[in-house]
Amino acid sequence: MKRVRVRLRALEDRSYPICIGAGILHRLPRELARLCPAARYAVVTDARVARLYGRALRRDLRRRGLHADLIAFPAGERYKTRRTKERVEDALVRLGHGRDSAILALGGGVVGDLAGFVAATYQRGIPYVQIPTTLLAMLDASVGGKTAIDHPAGKNLIGAFHQPRAVWADVSVLRTLPARQLRSGLAEAVKHAAVADLGLLKFLDRRGADLRALSPRALERLVERNCRIKAAVVMRDERESGFRQILNFGHTVAHALETAAGYRLLHGEAVAIGMAVEATLSERLGGLSAGGRDRLLCLLESLGLPGRLPRRLDPRRVLAATYTDKKARLGRPLYALPRRLGHPPAWNGRPVRPVEDRQVLQALRDLLS
Ligand SMILES: NC(=O)c1ccc[n+]([C@@H]2O[C@H](COP(=O)([O-])OP(=O)(O)OC[C@H]3O[C@@H](n4cnc5c(N)ncnc54)[C@H](O)[C@@H]3O)[C@@H](O)[C@H]2O)c1
Ligand SMILES: [Zn+2]
């Protein structure tokens, strides 16, 4: 098993381990007393993951004499809402969970974000463990303590920072993940590589096929490398007041696409298209070289990710949607555009910058299918 540590010591010690391995899920119950001691546990998950892994986890917890409930909501981004949060909270109250309970967030990024947000506010905050079951959640969403739900006006508009007590990532569960979801997760790995680690970019070039064939060793390496990057960034700027914004590469456009395309796109697919658009912008603004941009687009293509806007999507609608993004300070959307692959974006010493509407529109039009 591989371990990465997130060290956060401001105010109080909130450091936590990320444990990564193949076939480690059944070992979690015996580690919980150490990782996240609690009088009762509530496994919060979606209906699909409940069937695949949730019931077995509840059984394993009970076998060890732990009090465990299972709370499931329907799968999909559509359900990352206030209404679902309310339902999960109602279930916790009904089942008698109190301040001495802990939540086990078992699922993809939707479950992690929503269950983490429930944990942030239930009884003014209870501990939780992230048990990511999608590649995207393993190498990105489960680390860093950002939790949120969506609002019809935009993604992740309501949320909180609430760090988990531990992250427990068993790459074996990726065997049941649909291929499209696996590819979607690779998009966030490309993002990490583009803003932080040229070596990871080479790893993705070389091992793309192994990853898509679910080689456990390649997956373990991939998740570990990405968690190291994410942990380093979060340790430097937990609340995203500066440096952490480098991780928003591709995301200003991605969130706008998700809002404008009504969740027909998976998050990672939107991020892939967003990176293609934003790499193009970077090149136009004198950042990335043409070779750098093309290399990124080729990598996306070789990983089976989209690099163009969906047909029939009006670029003007996408541009308008960038203005409801919560990162649009003072009404102007900001972009984290890398200038050299593998290096953090920096424009006048800042990781993000505004871009003129007509330039964004032009880049969106150039990348229409
Ligand atoms: N908090 C963060 O820092 C952060 C970072 C990146 C993304 N996110 C969020 O993550 C979300 C996307 O997460 P996602 O892509 O994991 O989507 P998801 O949680 O919707 O999971 C995708 C689908 O896969 C199914 N599934 C999950 N694990 C499975 C498994 N092992 N086998 C079979 N099916 C499985 C789920 O039931 C779901 O239908 C977005 O809402 C995004 O905003 C958050
Ligand atoms: Zn993302």
Side-chain angles (χ1 to χ4, degrees):
M1 186 159 71
K2 297 185 189 302
R3 279 173 193 271
V4 176
R5 195 155 180 88
V6 184
R7 288 178 207 283
L8 298 166
R9 297 242 168 83
L11 300 178
E12 57 185 320
D13 190 0
R14 290 161 302 127
S15 304
Y16 57 92
I18 303 166
C19 308
I20 305 150
I24 61 171
L25 187 55
H26 71 280
R27 279 163 49 189
L28 178 63
R30 77 176 101 114
E31 303 287 338
L32 270 181
R34 185 173 56 81
L35 293 172
C36 184
R40 292 157 174 247
Y41 295 95
V43 178
V44 177
T45 187
D46 70 32
R48 180 166 191 185
V49 179
R51 265 195 313 278
L52 287 165
Y53 307 104
R55 289 184 197 145
L57 178 60
R58 177 179 56 187
R59 184 199 59 216
D60 292 349
L61 289 161
R62 288 182 173 169
R63 276 192 187 149
R64 280 200 75 82
L66 300 169
H67 177 110
D69 296 307
L70 185 65
I71 301 173
F73 60 87
E77 184 77 36
R78 279 209 309 286
Y79 292 94
K80 200 175 125 179
T81 57
R82 287 174 176 157
R83 188 170 161 71
T84 306
K85 180 172 185 265
E86 217 173 275
R87 291 189 160 182
V88 173
E89 289 159 348
D90 289 349
L92 287 169
V93 172
R94 196 174 55 246
L95 293 163
H97 284 277
R99 286 197 54 77
D100 53 0
S101 292
I103 286 177
L104 306 178
L106 174 74
V110 167
V111 168
D113 278 13
L114 187 135
F117 188 34
V118 170
T121 59
Y122 189 72
Q123 309 239 351
R124 299 197 183 85
I126 59 172
Y128 74 115
V129 175
Q130 288 280 15
I131 313 168
T133 63
T134 64
L135 184 61
L136 183 139
M138 288 184 194
L139 51 74
D140 187 357
S142 63
V143 178
K146 271 198 195 177
T147 72
I149 52 177
D150 299 332
H151 183 277
K155 285 253 312 166
N156 300 331
L157 285 190
I158 304 160
F161 285 96
H162 187 47
Q163 299 290 344
R165 289 297 167 90
V167 180
W168 194 265
D170 181 349
V171 297
S172 309
V173 304
L174 298 174
R175 269 198 308 259
T176 52
L177 191 68
R180 186 178 168 202
Q181 297 282 354
L182 189 92
R183 289 196 300 271
S184 168
L186 289 172
E188 302 280 12
V190 174
K191 176 194 77 180
H192 284 147
V195 299
D197 186 351
L198 204 56
L200 177 58
L201 207 69
K202 290 181 185 147
F203 178 84
L204 287 164
D205 277 334
R206 266 199 331 267
R207 305 290 300 273
D210 294 341
L211 292 166
R212 288 173 65 180
L214 298 177
S215 146
R217 297 200 62 186
L219 288 168
E220 254 185 64
R221 286 266 330 264
L222 180 78
V223 174
E224 185 202 2
R225 280 189 90 137
N226 280 276
C227 287
R228 279 195 196 288
I229 294 170
K230 180 98 190 244
V233 174
V234 170
M235 288 187 278
R236 193 160 148 183
D237 175 22
E238 185 185 354
R239 294 286 170 129
E240 198 173 313
S241 47
F243 190 67
R244 188 166 174 173
Q245 292 169 339
I246 67 166
L247 299 179
N248 292 329
F249 172 42
H251 279 64
T252 305
V253 170
H255 286 158
L257 283 168
E258 289 180 280
T259 305
Y263 303 127
R264 267 176 296 146
L265 289 169
L266 299 181
H267 179 69
E269 292 170 342
V271 172
I273 301 167
M275 287 191 288
V277 174
E278 294 185 16
T280 304
L281 273 176
S282 177
E283 188 200 343
R284 303 260 161 87
L285 296 166
L288 277 184
S289 65
R293 170 191 177 264
D294 291 349
R295 181 170 178 200
L296 190 79
L297 266 61
C298 281
L299 176 59
L300 292 173
E301 195 181 339
S302 77
L303 295 173
L305 284 161
R308 293 188 162 272
L309 256 62
R311 229 178 283 267
R312 287 191 292 276
L313 192 59
D314 181 353
R316 282 168 308 186
R317 268 187 63 205
V318 180
L319 176 68
T322 62
Y323 278 83
T324 58
D325 194 277
K326 65 185 180 320
K327 277 150 203 126
R329 300 250 161 81
L330 305 172
R332 298 219 55 192
L334 297 172
Y335 293 80
L337 309 176
R339 311 183 76 157
R340 268 173 73 202
L341 289 183
H343 296 269
W347 300 81
N348 291 324
R350 289 178 38 83
V352 289
R353 56 164 291 167
V355 180
E356 300 229 353
D357 285 355
R358 63 177 174 78
Q359 283 178 304
V360 177
L361 209 50
Q362 190 56 50
L364 288 166
R365 287 199 174 119
D366 288 353
L367 289 170
L368 268 177
S369 297

